[in-house]
Amino acid sequence: QVQLVESGGGLVQAGGSLRLSCAASGRTVSSSAMGWFRQAPGKEREFVAAISWSGAGTYYHDSVKGRFTISRDNAKNTVSLQMNSLKPEDTAVYYCAAGSRVVVTITTSYNYWGQGTQVTVSS
């Protein structure tokens, strides 16, 4: 019922920047949250950043604080992730997710997922 489409991934050198975008369609609820997760080869999907759809706050994994910024545009049903000072350790497939539970930092709180976009950071 809800579709999420990510865009903006690519290949950059360490220290560079990328901006990821996620477009949602099908249905929107005011209490839903939007999040970004990433998964590197051989690793579990991990939390990166999240934002409350109602504007309650933003949340970041410690490894990206000060470098990544999540934002939203409710009128357009989009969420973005500005990534600066990228490191090789940031290389992964990045997924956009939507959910309605109060805990926004765990995978099980989300029930809609995009297909992912590849981010590769060269050293």
Side-chain angles (χ1 to χ4, degrees), residues 19-24 28-36 49-60 69-82 96-97 99:
R19 184 177 181 86
L20 306 183
S21 295
C22 175
T28 301
V29 295
S30 61
S31 61
S32 64
M34 300 290 290
W36 287 96
I51 185 169
S52 171
W53 200 253
S54 63
T58 57
Y59 313 86
Y60 299 94
T69 303
I70 189 170
S71 61
R72 72 181 191 276
D73 186 337
N74 288 348
K76 298 180 180 179
N77 289 334
T78 60
V79 62
S80 298
L81 185 69
Q82 178 66 45
C96 176

Side-chain angles (χ1 to χ4, degrees), residues 20-112:
L20 306 183
S21 295
C22 175
S25 62
R27 186 181 68 193
T28 301
V29 295
S30 61
S31 61
S32 64
M34 300 290 290
W36 287 96
F37 291 75
R38 65 188 182 187
Q39 187 167 23
K43 294 186 177 181
E44 297 294 319
R45 190 169 299 185
E46 66 176 3
F47 169 75
V48 177
I51 185 169
S52 171
W53 200 253
S54 63
T58 57
Y59 313 86
Y60 299 94
H61 189 274
D62 287 343
S63 65
V64 305
K65 285 183 178 179
R67 300 189 297 121
F68 292 9
T69 303
I70 189 170
S71 61
R72 72 181 191 276
D73 186 337
N74 288 348
K76 298 180 180 179
N77 289 334
T78 60
V79 62
S80 298
L81 185 69
Q82 178 66 45
M83 306 185 294
N84 298 325
S85 301
L86 284 163
K87 305 175 181 180
E89 304 89 83
D90 296 318
T91 295
V93 176
Y94 283 70
Y95 297 90
C96 176
S100 59
R101 299 190 181 188
V102 295
V103 180
V104 297
T105 59
I106 57 176
T107 302
T108 53
S109 291
Y110 299 86
N111 46 13
Y112 300 103

Side-chain angles (χ1 to χ4, degrees), residues 3-6 22 45 94-98 112-117:
Q3 287 186 307
L4 303 175
V5 181
E6 304 97 334
C22 175
R45 190 169 299 185
Y94 283 70
Y95 297 90
C96 176
Y112 300 103
W113 295 85
Q115 295 298 308
T117 184

